[in-house]
Structures are given as structure tokens and as C-alpha cells.
Amino acid sequence: MAPGRLGRLTARRRPHLVSLRTTFAVSFAAVTAAVTVLVGILSYGAAARLVRVDQQSVFNEVVQDLRNEVRENRMTPGDFSSSAPGHDLVRPARTDVQVLGPDGGILDPGSPGLPVTDADRTVAGAAVAGRVAEHKDVDVGDDVYRVATVALGGGRGAVQVAQEFSDTEDLLRALQRWTLLLMIAVVTAAGLFGWWLARRITRRLILLTTAAEDVARTRRLGIQVPVAGHDEVGRLGRAFDRMLGRLAQSEEDQRRLVQDAGHELRTPLTSLRTNISLLRRIDELPPGTREELVADLGQEARELTDLVNELVDLAAGQSDTEPPQRVDLADIAEDVAGLARRRSGRRITVRASGDTTTDGRPGMLTRAVSNLVENAVKFDRDGSAPIEITVTGPARPGTIRVEVLDRGPGIADDDLLRVFDRFYRAADARSLPGSGLGLSIVREVALAHGGAPFALRRDGGGAVIGFTVGGGA
């Protein structure tokens, strides 16, 4: 397929993007228009029906009053002449009266004059008073009337009563025009108000979207999200800002971990390469040197393995997916102490007091306590006093404290604040095996469980190193 045709097909398939602001404004205007039109139609219909019914009722009352009057009184056409007293009783507003003689001829014309049909002439000659002939929508000039002819009885003639309806329809048409204009004005105002409201509502969403697009384009996680407020959009902005902060911190931790790991791995790898190069001349070396070389290779391989394992544990601790559950730190300390006794042959005691149960990840907590005990065994290698594990809880509401006490050389004051840094090793510990990651893992575990690590000098010599769970140190 030709590239131009492919481009045209892609362009046709690309969906037309409509902004949330436009969608909100159009939806607001559409709903308002629908409601306005519905209310306008219903209001006009109700008003028109009431006006027409009212006019019809007035006309019917006039005709009925006239029928009652001619039935009760023997009346002649002269009684309804425009010059006769009392004629206003049958001439309300917009009502025309015309008097017919016995033969249907016009004796007293109305204003304007009303047409006379055969039915009207028949009623004028009727013997029974009150007989009626009605005509709807009678055109008189430019106006429309409703006409009723009422017989006087005894063949004496009849009276025609007409009411104008065209002015009522003119009024209703004017009302219809004003209703339509009002609906148009309301819909237009609703559209403008909806656009303004949508712009006001979506402005912060646009800022948030711009920030997200900047992060995706530049991959810079330190962008400040300019979203404020206490509604859902404000909460979304703050959550997005916190998420970016955590991602930035995670990226920084990962970068620092890779840099530190690369730095620490160079030393054993360099030593391994040096010793491996000597293996090519192993036949030329004395037996004692050969044994030392093989021993060095084994020791370096073990240290490299330990370093890699601790790096994996540290990285796993930063993004651990182990589900939290109810654990007893005293039981974890007993398990760790039993394993350490078998490995080192040292006396390790456990003392627990208070409620030592908490919600946590048992694997991570076991690793932290194990690292503390291994650290104490390493630095108190020739000691005769037992290594002590104490679990105390709660020192404060929700806080459990785990301590490992030894009688080793202790920790210098300058090192107390740095022993939990990655790969940090005190000057007097650099000759000992280890990677400098054990206590760093303890710190990560403590922080993940809402606590903090601590290191103290022990009265009488030695160190106290531990962490808290559920609170500060």
C-alpha cells in the first residue's frame, strides 16, 4: 500500500478529540435547552388552554343569561335595542349584539354587523323562547367571532350575541413569540454560563494533564503539580503530586543503589580477576601458595555471593509485595535466635514483655532481626557473654521495640548516625567479612513498618542496635 494512502487511512481512523470543557459546556447547554423547551411548551400550552377556556366560559354565561331572561320575561326586539335601558347587561367586553325581526331581518345592527344565516332566520320565527343557533369561527371583516342567536319566542324575533376571539389568538401568538425568544435567550445564556463553568472546573484538570504530559515527555519526576483545592480535583492533584514524589524518591534510591552496588562489586571482582589470572600459572606456584590462592578464591566467591544476596534483599525490600498479616515479634525473635545458635554456637537469649503482636510482613521482619543478630555475632566473635534479644511492646501506643545487645567493641560516636547507610563500614570493621548492607536492610524494613532504626553505646561496653515498629525510635 502506498505511504500516502496509508496516511489517509490512519487519519480517517484517528478519533476526533473533543475536550472535556467542550463536552461539559455542550452537555450543560443541551440539558438546559431541553428543560427550557419543555417548560416553555408546557407553560404556553397551559396558558393558552386557560385563556381559551376562560373566553368560552364567559361567552357561554352571556348566552345562558340571555336565554334565562327571554324565557322568564315576554320580551320584544325593542327591549334589546341599543337605545333601550339595561342593554349593557348583555354587552360585556368584546361582545357584539344584533337584534333580528320576526322574519330574520336586522332591526338593530351590531357594531360591526353580523351575518344572518337561514338557521338564524328560523330561530327568529321560532315560537319557543330560548331556542339557540350557534356558529363558530365566523369571519366579520378582519376579525373572527363566535355567534349565538337566541329566539325571543312567539315569532317575535331573535337576539344575536357575538364574541370576538381573534384578539385572544393575537395575544396568544404574541405570547408564543415572547416564549420562543425567552427560550432562545435562556439557552444562549446557559451555553455561555456552561462554557464559563466548564472552564473554571476543568482549568485545574488541564494543569494536571499538562503536568502529566510533561512527565511523560521529559521523564522528569520532580515537576510540581500546580493543583489546589479541597474537592475531588484537588485531592487528585495532591495524590498525583505525592505519587510523583515517591516515584522520584524510588528512582533516586534505585540510582544510588546501582552506583553503590557497582562501586562495591568492583573490589571483589577485581580481586577475582587477579586470582584467576594467577590460575594460569598455578603449576609454577609452590603448594602453599596454591592453597592460599584457592582459599582466597573461595572466600571472594562467598563474599560476592553474600553481597549479591543482600543487594537482592535490599531491592526486594523497597518494593516488597508480601501481604501484611498479624505477627508476633517475640516468636520471630525466638526463631531467629534458634537458627543463630545452631550456626554460631553462641548463647543467644530472648526476653519479651508486653503485647508484641503487630501487623507486618513476617519475611521482612525476620530478615531484619536476623541481620541484627548476625551483626552482633560478627563483632562479638570471641565474646563469652550471651547475645541478648529484647522485644518490648508497646513502649508507646502501637509501638514495639526490638533490640539486640552484645558485648563487642561497641560503636564510635562518629559512626552511630552512619551505621545504617548503605555499604558503610566503620574503620575497625573493614577487615571483617560483610558488605555493609545488613543494617541498611534493617532500616528499610523499619521504615516500611512505620518505625525507625537506632544504634546506641551499651553501658559496660558493646552496642545496642535495633528498630521500632509502628512509631518512631
Side-chain angles (χ1 to χ4, degrees), residues 2-39:
R5 186 178 179 186
L6 179 61
R8 289 192 297 272
L9 288 176
T10 304
R12 284 198 297 267
R13 292 174 183 172
R14 183 179 301 135
H16 180 65
L17 299 179
V18 180
S19 67
L20 180 62
R21 178 185 301 174
T22 302
T23 302
F24 188 87
V26 171
S27 300
F28 187 87
V31 172
T32 304
V35 173
T36 303
V37 170
L38 181 62
V39 172

PDB file of all heavy atoms in Angstrom, residues 2-39:
ATOM      1  N   ALA A   2       0.490   2.251  -0.765  1.00  0.00           N
ATOM      2  CA  ALA A   2       1.296   3.460  -0.860  1.00  0.00           C
ATOM      3  C   ALA A   2       1.299   4.200   0.458  1.00  0.00           C
ATOM      4  O   ALA A   2       0.313   4.223   1.185  1.00  0.00           O
ATOM      5  CB  ALA A   2       0.731   4.361  -1.969  1.00  0.00           C
ATOM      6  N   PRO A   3       2.444   4.882   0.785  1.00  0.00           N
ATOM      7  CA  PRO A   3       2.513   5.601   2.070  1.00  0.00           C
ATOM      8  C   PRO A   3       1.454   6.681   2.194  1.00  0.00           C
ATOM      9  O   PRO A   3       0.893   6.898   3.248  1.00  0.00           O
ATOM     10  CB  PRO A   3       3.942   6.189   2.058  1.00  0.00           C
ATOM     11  CG  PRO A   3       4.714   5.312   1.099  1.00  0.00           C
ATOM     12  CD  PRO A   3       3.742   4.874   0.070  1.00  0.00           C
ATOM     13  N   GLY A   4       1.157   7.376   1.062  1.00  0.00           N
ATOM     14  CA  GLY A   4       0.149   8.435   1.159  1.00  0.00           C
ATOM     15  C   GLY A   4      -1.214   7.896   1.498  1.00  0.00           C
ATOM     16  O   GLY A   4      -1.951   8.457   2.301  1.00  0.00           O
ATOM     17  N   ARG A   5      -1.564   6.749   0.859  1.00  0.00           N
ATOM     18  CA  ARG A   5      -2.874   6.145   1.143  1.00  0.00           C
ATOM     19  C   ARG A   5      -2.945   5.657   2.576  1.00  0.00           C
ATOM     20  O   ARG A   5      -3.975   5.775   3.243  1.00  0.00           O
ATOM     21  CB  ARG A   5      -3.106   4.995   0.172  1.00  0.00           C
ATOM     22  CG  ARG A   5      -4.503   4.392   0.296  1.00  0.00           C
ATOM     23  CD  ARG A   5      -4.706   3.298  -0.712  1.00  0.00           C
ATOM     24  NE  ARG A   5      -6.023   2.702  -0.574  1.00  0.00           N
ATOM     25  CZ  ARG A   5      -6.426   1.641  -1.251  1.00  0.00           C
ATOM     26  NH1 ARG A   5      -5.601   1.070  -2.124  1.00  0.00           N
ATOM     27  NH2 ARG A   5      -7.634   1.149  -1.068  1.00  0.00           N
ATOM     28  N   LEU A   6      -1.840   5.050   3.051  1.00  0.00           N
ATOM     29  CA  LEU A   6      -1.806   4.608   4.446  1.00  0.00           C
ATOM     30  C   LEU A   6      -1.987   5.769   5.406  1.00  0.00           C
ATOM     31  O   LEU A   6      -2.703   5.680   6.402  1.00  0.00           O
ATOM     32  CB  LEU A   6      -0.477   3.895   4.722  1.00  0.00           C
ATOM     33  CG  LEU A   6      -0.273   3.391   6.147  1.00  0.00           C
ATOM     34  CD1 LEU A   6      -1.349   2.377   6.500  1.00  0.00           C
ATOM     35  CD2 LEU A   6       1.111   2.771   6.303  1.00  0.00           C
ATOM     36  N   GLY A   7      -1.370   6.901   5.082  1.00  0.00           N
ATOM     37  CA  GLY A   7      -1.530   8.079   5.937  1.00  0.00           C
ATOM     38  C   GLY A   7      -2.952   8.575   5.967  1.00  0.00           C
ATOM     39  O   GLY A   7      -3.475   8.967   6.998  1.00  0.00           O
ATOM     40  N   ARG A   8      -3.621   8.519   4.754  1.00  0.00           N
ATOM     41  CA  ARG A   8      -5.022   8.968   4.717  1.00  0.00           C
ATOM     42  C   ARG A   8      -5.923   8.035   5.513  1.00  0.00           C
ATOM     43  O   ARG A   8      -6.850   8.473   6.205  1.00  0.00           O
ATOM     44  CB  ARG A   8      -5.484   9.063   3.257  1.00  0.00           C
ATOM     45  CG  ARG A   8      -4.858  10.219   2.496  1.00  0.00           C
ATOM     46  CD  ARG A   8      -5.577  10.441   1.172  1.00  0.00           C
ATOM     47  NE  ARG A   8      -5.458   9.304   0.290  1.00  0.00           N
ATOM     48  CZ  ARG A   8      -4.454   9.122  -0.569  1.00  0.00           C
ATOM     49  NH1 ARG A   8      -3.464  10.009  -0.641  1.00  0.00           N
ATOM     50  NH2 ARG A   8      -4.426   8.065  -1.362  1.00  0.00           N
ATOM     51  N   LEU A   9      -5.660   6.719   5.425  1.00  0.00           N
ATOM     52  CA  LEU A   9      -6.457   5.770   6.202  1.00  0.00           C
ATOM     53  C   LEU A   9      -6.254   5.982   7.683  1.00  0.00           C
ATOM     54  O   LEU A   9      -7.201   5.943   8.481  1.00  0.00           O
ATOM     55  CB  LEU A   9      -6.073   4.340   5.814  1.00  0.00           C
ATOM     56  CG  LEU A   9      -6.542   3.883   4.420  1.00  0.00           C
ATOM     57  CD1 LEU A   9      -5.996   2.490   4.140  1.00  0.00           C
ATOM     58  CD2 LEU A   9      -8.050   3.909   4.308  1.00  0.00           C
ATOM     59  N   THR A  10      -5.011   6.219   8.077  1.00  0.00           N
ATOM     60  CA  THR A  10      -4.734   6.458   9.503  1.00  0.00           C
ATOM     61  C   THR A  10      -5.438   7.713   9.983  1.00  0.00           C
ATOM     62  O   THR A  10      -5.991   7.765  11.080  1.00  0.00           O
ATOM     63  CB  THR A  10      -3.229   6.568   9.727  1.00  0.00           C
ATOM     64  OG1 THR A  10      -2.602   5.400   9.228  1.00  0.00           O
ATOM     65  CG2 THR A  10      -2.910   6.726  11.208  1.00  0.00           C
ATOM     66  N   ALA A  11      -5.421   8.744   9.117  1.00  0.00           N
ATOM     67  CA  ALA A  11      -6.086   9.997   9.507  1.00  0.00           C
ATOM     68  C   ALA A  11      -7.578   9.801   9.660  1.00  0.00           C
ATOM     69  O   ALA A  11      -8.206  10.369  10.536  1.00  0.00           O
ATOM     70  CB  ALA A  11      -5.792  11.078   8.459  1.00  0.00           C
ATOM     71  N   ARG A  12      -8.166   8.956   8.752  1.00  0.00           N
ATOM     72  CA  ARG A  12      -9.606   8.718   8.876  1.00  0.00           C
ATOM     73  C   ARG A  12      -9.946   7.928  10.119  1.00  0.00           C
ATOM     74  O   ARG A  12     -10.999   8.095  10.711  1.00  0.00           O
ATOM     75  CB  ARG A  12     -10.097   7.990   7.627  1.00  0.00           C
ATOM     76  CG  ARG A  12     -10.229   8.889   6.401  1.00  0.00           C
ATOM     77  CD  ARG A  12     -11.113   8.236   5.364  1.00  0.00           C
ATOM     78  NE  ARG A  12     -10.551   6.997   4.869  1.00  0.00           N
ATOM     79  CZ  ARG A  12      -9.784   6.903   3.784  1.00  0.00           C
ATOM     80  NH1 ARG A  12      -9.474   8.003   3.098  1.00  0.00           N
ATOM     81  NH2 ARG A  12      -9.334   5.730   3.378  1.00  0.00           N
ATOM     82  N   ARG A  13      -9.052   7.019  10.510  1.00  0.00           N
ATOM     83  CA  ARG A  13      -9.337   6.188  11.675  1.00  0.00           C
ATOM     84  C   ARG A  13      -9.074   6.902  12.989  1.00  0.00           C
ATOM     85  O   ARG A  13      -9.519   6.465  14.029  1.00  0.00           O
ATOM     86  CB  ARG A  13      -8.455   4.931  11.620  1.00  0.00           C
ATOM     87  CG  ARG A  13      -8.823   3.993  10.480  1.00  0.00           C
ATOM     88  CD  ARG A  13      -7.830   2.867  10.393  1.00  0.00           C
ATOM     89  NE  ARG A  13      -8.123   1.991   9.257  1.00  0.00           N
ATOM     90  CZ  ARG A  13      -7.329   1.019   8.844  1.00  0.00           C
ATOM     91  NH1 ARG A  13      -6.168   0.799   9.469  1.00  0.00           N
ATOM     92  NH2 ARG A  13      -7.656   0.266   7.813  1.00  0.00           N
ATOM     93  N   ARG A  14      -8.312   7.980  12.933  1.00  0.00           N
ATOM     94  CA  ARG A  14      -7.983   8.685  14.171  1.00  0.00           C
ATOM     95  C   ARG A  14      -9.234   9.329  14.742  1.00  0.00           C
ATOM     96  O   ARG A  14      -9.931  10.079  14.065  1.00  0.00           O
ATOM     97  CB  ARG A  14      -6.923   9.747  13.894  1.00  0.00           C
ATOM     98  CG  ARG A  14      -6.457  10.478  15.148  1.00  0.00           C
ATOM     99  CD  ARG A  14      -5.386  11.497  14.792  1.00  0.00           C
ATOM    100  NE  ARG A  14      -4.248  10.857  14.159  1.00  0.00           N
ATOM    101  CZ  ARG A  14      -3.646  11.325  13.069  1.00  0.00           C
ATOM    102  NH1 ARG A  14      -4.088  12.430  12.491  1.00  0.00           N
ATOM    103  NH2 ARG A  14      -2.617  10.685  12.546  1.00  0.00           N
ATOM    104  N   PRO A  15      -9.558   9.064  15.982  1.00  0.00           N
ATOM    105  CA  PRO A  15     -10.783   9.621  16.559  1.00  0.00           C
ATOM    106  C   PRO A  15     -10.686  11.123  16.733  1.00  0.00           C
ATOM    107  O   PRO A  15      -9.617  11.664  17.005  1.00  0.00           O
ATOM    108  CB  PRO A  15     -10.882   8.906  17.917  1.00  0.00           C
ATOM    109  CG  PRO A  15      -9.480   8.517  18.239  1.00  0.00           C
ATOM    110  CD  PRO A  15      -8.814   8.228  16.930  1.00  0.00           C
ATOM    111  N   HIS A  16     -11.798  11.777  16.536  1.00  0.00           N
ATOM    112  CA  HIS A  16     -11.855  13.217  16.747  1.00  0.00           C
ATOM    113  C   HIS A  16     -11.892  13.505  18.251  1.00  0.00           C
ATOM    114  O   HIS A  16     -12.780  13.034  18.955  1.00  0.00           O
ATOM    115  CB  HIS A  16     -13.095  13.786  16.069  1.00  0.00           C
ATOM    116  CG  HIS A  16     -13.237  15.266  16.242  1.00  0.00           C
ATOM    117  ND1 HIS A  16     -12.343  16.166  15.703  1.00  0.00           N
ATOM    118  CD2 HIS A  16     -14.167  15.992  16.913  1.00  0.00           C
ATOM    119  CE1 HIS A  16     -12.726  17.388  16.030  1.00  0.00           C
ATOM    120  NE2 HIS A  16     -13.826  17.310  16.762  1.00  0.00           N
ATOM    121  N   LEU A  17     -10.922  14.268  18.698  1.00  0.00           N
ATOM    122  CA  LEU A  17     -10.796  14.530  20.125  1.00  0.00           C
ATOM    123  C   LEU A  17     -11.644  15.733  20.498  1.00  0.00           C
ATOM    124  O   LEU A  17     -11.559  16.797  19.871  1.00  0.00           O
ATOM    125  CB  LEU A  17      -9.321  14.786  20.490  1.00  0.00           C
ATOM    126  CG  LEU A  17      -8.373  13.613  20.213  1.00  0.00           C
ATOM    127  CD1 LEU A  17      -6.950  13.989  20.583  1.00  0.00           C
ATOM    128  CD2 LEU A  17      -8.811  12.377  20.973  1.00  0.00           C
ATOM    129  N   VAL A  18     -12.465  15.581  21.474  1.00  0.00           N
ATOM    130  CA  VAL A  18     -13.291  16.664  21.994  1.00  0.00           C
ATOM    131  C   VAL A  18     -12.881  16.893  23.436  1.00  0.00           C
ATOM    132  O   VAL A  18     -12.811  15.952  24.230  1.00  0.00           O
ATOM    133  CB  VAL A  18     -14.791  16.310  21.912  1.00  0.00           C
ATOM    134  CG1 VAL A  18     -15.632  17.446  22.466  1.00  0.00           C
ATOM    135  CG2 VAL A  18     -15.173  16.012  20.461  1.00  0.00           C
ATOM    136  N   SER A  19     -12.586  18.146  23.771  1.00  0.00           N
ATOM    137  CA  SER A  19     -12.126  18.447  25.108  1.00  0.00           C
ATOM    138  C   SER A  19     -13.246  18.257  26.119  1.00  0.00           C
ATOM    139  O   SER A  19     -14.438  18.346  25.787  1.00  0.00           O
ATOM    140  CB  SER A  19     -11.606  19.882  25.174  1.00  0.00           C
ATOM    141  OG  SER A  19     -12.668  20.799  24.996  1.00  0.00           O
ATOM    142  N   LEU A  20     -12.842  18.000  27.363  1.00  0.00           N
ATOM    143  CA  LEU A  20     -13.818  17.855  28.444  1.00  0.00           C
ATOM    144  C   LEU A  20     -14.573  19.155  28.649  1.00  0.00           C
ATOM    145  O   LEU A  20     -15.766  19.146  28.961  1.00  0.00           O
ATOM    146  CB  LEU A  20     -13.090  17.433  29.723  1.00  0.00           C
ATOM    147  CG  LEU A  20     -13.954  17.243  30.966  1.00  0.00           C
ATOM    148  CD1 LEU A  20     -14.967  16.136  30.735  1.00  0.00           C
ATOM    149  CD2 LEU A  20     -13.080  16.925  32.171  1.00  0.00           C
ATOM    150  N   ARG A  21     -13.890  20.262  28.450  1.00  0.00           N
ATOM    151  CA  ARG A  21     -14.546  21.563  28.611  1.00  0.00           C
ATOM    152  C   ARG A  21     -15.691  21.712  27.612  1.00  0.00           C
ATOM    153  O   ARG A  21     -16.806  22.112  27.963  1.00  0.00           O
ATOM    154  CB  ARG A  21     -13.526  22.684  28.425  1.00  0.00           C
ATOM    155  CG  ARG A  21     -14.093  24.078  28.512  1.00  0.00           C
ATOM    156  CD  ARG A  21     -13.047  25.113  28.193  1.00  0.00           C
ATOM    157  NE  ARG A  21     -11.917  25.007  29.103  1.00  0.00           N
ATOM    158  CZ  ARG A  21     -10.808  25.733  28.970  1.00  0.00           C
ATOM    159  NH1 ARG A  21     -10.690  26.586  27.975  1.00  0.00           N
ATOM    160  NH2 ARG A  21      -9.828  25.592  29.830  1.00  0.00           N
ATOM    161  N   THR A  22     -15.431  21.373  26.333  1.00  0.00           N
ATOM    162  CA  THR A  22     -16.469  21.476  25.311  1.00  0.00           C
ATOM    163  C   THR A  22     -17.615  20.514  25.595  1.00  0.00           C
ATOM    164  O   THR A  22     -18.790  20.857  25.469  1.00  0.00           O
ATOM    165  CB  THR A  22     -15.862  21.192  23.934  1.00  0.00           C
ATOM    166  OG1 THR A  22     -14.791  22.118  23.684  1.00  0.00           O
ATOM    167  CG2 THR A  22     -16.911  21.328  22.854  1.00  0.00           C
ATOM    168  N   THR A  23     -17.254  19.295  25.980  1.00  0.00           N
ATOM    169  CA  THR A  23     -18.286  18.305  26.285  1.00  0.00           C
ATOM    170  C   THR A  23     -19.170  18.771  27.433  1.00  0.00           C
ATOM    171  O   THR A  23     -20.398  18.665  27.379  1.00  0.00           O
ATOM    172  CB  THR A  23     -17.626  16.964  26.645  1.00  0.00           C
ATOM    173  OG1 THR A  23     -16.811  16.529  25.554  1.00  0.00           O
ATOM    174  CG2 THR A  23     -18.676  15.905  26.945  1.00  0.00           C
ATOM    175  N   PHE A  24     -18.546  19.303  28.474  1.00  0.00           N
ATOM    176  CA  PHE A  24     -19.308  19.772  29.629  1.00  0.00           C
ATOM    177  C   PHE A  24     -20.200  20.945  29.246  1.00  0.00           C
ATOM    178  O   PHE A  24     -21.387  20.987  29.619  1.00  0.00           O
ATOM    179  CB  PHE A  24     -18.344  20.179  30.743  1.00  0.00           C
ATOM    180  CG  PHE A  24     -19.019  20.495  32.047  1.00  0.00           C
ATOM    181  CD1 PHE A  24     -19.304  19.502  32.968  1.00  0.00           C
ATOM    182  CD2 PHE A  24     -19.378  21.804  32.363  1.00  0.00           C
ATOM    183  CE1 PHE A  24     -19.926  19.791  34.160  1.00  0.00           C
ATOM    184  CE2 PHE A  24     -20.001  22.100  33.556  1.00  0.00           C
ATOM    185  CZ  PHE A  24     -20.270  21.091  34.451  1.00  0.00           C
ATOM    186  N   ALA A  25     -19.649  21.900  28.475  1.00  0.00           N
ATOM    187  CA  ALA A  25     -20.444  23.072  28.092  1.00  0.00           C
ATOM    188  C   ALA A  25     -21.614  22.682  27.201  1.00  0.00           C
ATOM    189  O   ALA A  25     -22.741  23.140  27.395  1.00  0.00           O
ATOM    190  CB  ALA A  25     -19.545  24.090  27.385  1.00  0.00           C
ATOM    191  N   VAL A  26     -21.358  21.818  26.209  1.00  0.00           N
ATOM    192  CA  VAL A  26     -22.430  21.393  25.312  1.00  0.00           C
ATOM    193  C   VAL A  26     -23.489  20.598  26.066  1.00  0.00           C
ATOM    194  O   VAL A  26     -24.702  20.768  25.855  1.00  0.00           O
ATOM    195  CB  VAL A  26     -21.847  20.566  24.152  1.00  0.00           C
ATOM    196  CG1 VAL A  26     -22.954  19.933  23.327  1.00  0.00           C
ATOM    197  CG2 VAL A  26     -20.964  21.442  23.270  1.00  0.00           C
ATOM    198  N   SER A  27     -23.048  19.724  26.965  1.00  0.00           N
ATOM    199  CA  SER A  27     -24.000  18.939  27.751  1.00  0.00           C
ATOM    200  C   SER A  27     -24.852  19.847  28.627  1.00  0.00           C
ATOM    201  O   SER A  27     -26.073  19.669  28.741  1.00  0.00           O
ATOM    202  CB  SER A  27     -23.250  17.918  28.614  1.00  0.00           C
ATOM    203  OG  SER A  27     -22.493  17.037  27.817  1.00  0.00           O
ATOM    204  N   PHE A  28     -24.205  20.822  29.261  1.00  0.00           N
ATOM    205  CA  PHE A  28     -24.936  21.758  30.121  1.00  0.00           C
ATOM    206  C   PHE A  28     -25.964  22.533  29.298  1.00  0.00           C
ATOM    207  O   PHE A  28     -27.127  22.677  29.698  1.00  0.00           O
ATOM    208  CB  PHE A  28     -23.952  22.716  30.788  1.00  0.00           C
ATOM    209  CG  PHE A  28     -24.567  23.611  31.823  1.00  0.00           C
ATOM    210  CD1 PHE A  28     -24.696  23.185  33.134  1.00  0.00           C
ATOM    211  CD2 PHE A  28     -25.018  24.873  31.493  1.00  0.00           C
ATOM    212  CE1 PHE A  28     -25.264  24.008  34.092  1.00  0.00           C
ATOM    213  CE2 PHE A  28     -25.590  25.705  32.441  1.00  0.00           C
ATOM    214  CZ  PHE A  28     -25.709  25.265  33.748  1.00  0.00           C
ATOM    215  N   ALA A  29     -25.538  23.025  28.098  1.00  0.00           N
ATOM    216  CA  ALA A  29     -26.457  23.779  27.254  1.00  0.00           C
ATOM    217  C   ALA A  29     -27.584  22.890  26.734  1.00  0.00           C
ATOM    218  O   ALA A  29     -28.740  23.315  26.644  1.00  0.00           O
ATOM    219  CB  ALA A  29     -25.696  24.404  26.089  1.00  0.00           C
ATOM    220  N   ALA A  30     -27.251  21.629  26.387  1.00  0.00           N
ATOM    221  CA  ALA A  30     -28.274  20.724  25.872  1.00  0.00           C
ATOM    222  C   ALA A  30     -29.323  20.411  26.928  1.00  0.00           C
ATOM    223  O   ALA A  30     -30.533  20.417  26.647  1.00  0.00           O
ATOM    224  CB  ALA A  30     -27.626  19.433  25.368  1.00  0.00           C
ATOM    225  N   VAL A  31     -28.883  20.140  28.139  1.00  0.00           N
ATOM    226  CA  VAL A  31     -29.831  19.849  29.215  1.00  0.00           C
ATOM    227  C   VAL A  31     -30.697  21.073  29.502  1.00  0.00           C
ATOM    228  O   VAL A  31     -31.927  20.979  29.661  1.00  0.00           O
ATOM    229  CB  VAL A  31     -29.085  19.395  30.478  1.00  0.00           C
ATOM    230  CG1 VAL A  31     -30.031  19.288  31.653  1.00  0.00           C
ATOM    231  CG2 VAL A  31     -28.397  18.054  30.235  1.00  0.00           C
ATOM    232  N   THR A  32     -30.047  22.240  29.558  1.00  0.00           N
ATOM    233  CA  THR A  32     -30.802  23.464  29.812  1.00  0.00           C
ATOM    234  C   THR A  32     -31.795  23.739  28.689  1.00  0.00           C
ATOM    235  O   THR A  32     -32.940  24.143  28.932  1.00  0.00           O
ATOM    236  CB  THR A  32     -29.840  24.643  29.957  1.00  0.00           C
ATOM    237  OG1 THR A  32     -28.878  24.357  30.989  1.00  0.00           O
ATOM    238  CG2 THR A  32     -30.580  25.913  30.315  1.00  0.00           C
ATOM    239  N   ALA A  33     -31.361  23.502  27.441  1.00  0.00           N
ATOM    240  CA  ALA A  33     -32.258  23.724  26.309  1.00  0.00           C
ATOM    241  C   ALA A  33     -33.450  22.786  26.371  1.00  0.00           C
ATOM    242  O   ALA A  33     -34.600  23.205  26.140  1.00  0.00           O
ATOM    243  CB  ALA A  33     -31.495  23.528  24.996  1.00  0.00           C
ATOM    244  N   ALA A  34     -33.187  21.512  26.674  1.00  0.00           N
ATOM    245  CA  ALA A  34     -34.284  20.555  26.744  1.00  0.00           C
ATOM    246  C   ALA A  34     -35.283  20.944  27.834  1.00  0.00           C
ATOM    247  O   ALA A  34     -36.509  20.924  27.626  1.00  0.00           O
ATOM    248  CB  ALA A  34     -33.741  19.150  26.995  1.00  0.00           C
ATOM    249  N   VAL A  35     -34.750  21.304  29.002  1.00  0.00           N
ATOM    250  CA  VAL A  35     -35.630  21.697  30.104  1.00  0.00           C
ATOM    251  C   VAL A  35     -36.396  22.971  29.757  1.00  0.00           C
ATOM    252  O   VAL A  35     -37.605  23.095  30.008  1.00  0.00           O
ATOM    253  CB  VAL A  35     -34.810  21.871  31.394  1.00  0.00           C
ATOM    254  CG1 VAL A  35     -35.684  22.445  32.505  1.00  0.00           C
ATOM    255  CG2 VAL A  35     -34.217  20.542  31.835  1.00  0.00           C
ATOM    256  N   THR A  36     -35.682  23.947  29.160  1.00  0.00           N
ATOM    257  CA  THR A  36     -36.327  25.221  28.818  1.00  0.00           C
ATOM    258  C   THR A  36     -37.430  25.022  27.788  1.00  0.00           C
ATOM    259  O   THR A  36     -38.532  25.577  27.910  1.00  0.00           O
ATOM    260  CB  THR A  36     -35.275  26.208  28.292  1.00  0.00           C
ATOM    261  OG1 THR A  36     -34.253  26.382  29.272  1.00  0.00           O
ATOM    262  CG2 THR A  36     -35.907  27.549  27.985  1.00  0.00           C
ATOM    263  N   VAL A  37     -37.132  24.241  26.741  1.00  0.00           N
ATOM    264  CA  VAL A  37     -38.142  23.995  25.706  1.00  0.00           C
ATOM    265  C   VAL A  37     -39.344  23.267  26.297  1.00  0.00           C
ATOM    266  O   VAL A  37     -40.506  23.611  26.012  1.00  0.00           O
ATOM    267  CB  VAL A  37     -37.519  23.187  24.552  1.00  0.00           C
ATOM    268  CG1 VAL A  37     -38.606  22.704  23.588  1.00  0.00           C
ATOM    269  CG2 VAL A  37     -36.495  24.036  23.817  1.00  0.00           C
ATOM    270  N   LEU A  38     -39.075  22.263  27.122  1.00  0.00           N
ATOM    271  CA  LEU A  38     -40.178  21.526  27.725  1.00  0.00           C
ATOM    272  C   LEU A  38     -41.033  22.427  28.606  1.00  0.00           C
ATOM    273  O   LEU A  38     -42.278  22.430  28.516  1.00  0.00           O
ATOM    274  CB  LEU A  38     -39.626  20.347  28.539  1.00  0.00           C
ATOM    275  CG  LEU A  38     -40.659  19.457  29.228  1.00  0.00           C
ATOM    276  CD1 LEU A  38     -41.568  18.808  28.195  1.00  0.00           C
ATOM    277  CD2 LEU A  38     -39.975  18.390  30.083  1.00  0.00           C
ATOM    278  N   VAL A  39     -40.369  23.211  29.455  1.00  0.00           N
ATOM    279  CA  VAL A  39     -41.114  24.118  30.338  1.00  0.00           C
ATOM    280  C   VAL A  39     -41.861  25.162  29.520  1.00  0.00           C
ATOM    281  O   VAL A  39     -43.024  25.505  29.811  1.00  0.00           O
ATOM    282  CB  VAL A  39     -40.154  24.783  31.344  1.00  0.00           C
ATOM    283  CG1 VAL A  39     -40.874  25.881  32.129  1.00  0.00           C
ATOM    284  CG2 VAL A  39     -39.598  23.745  32.307  1.00  0.00           C
TER     285      VAL A  39
END
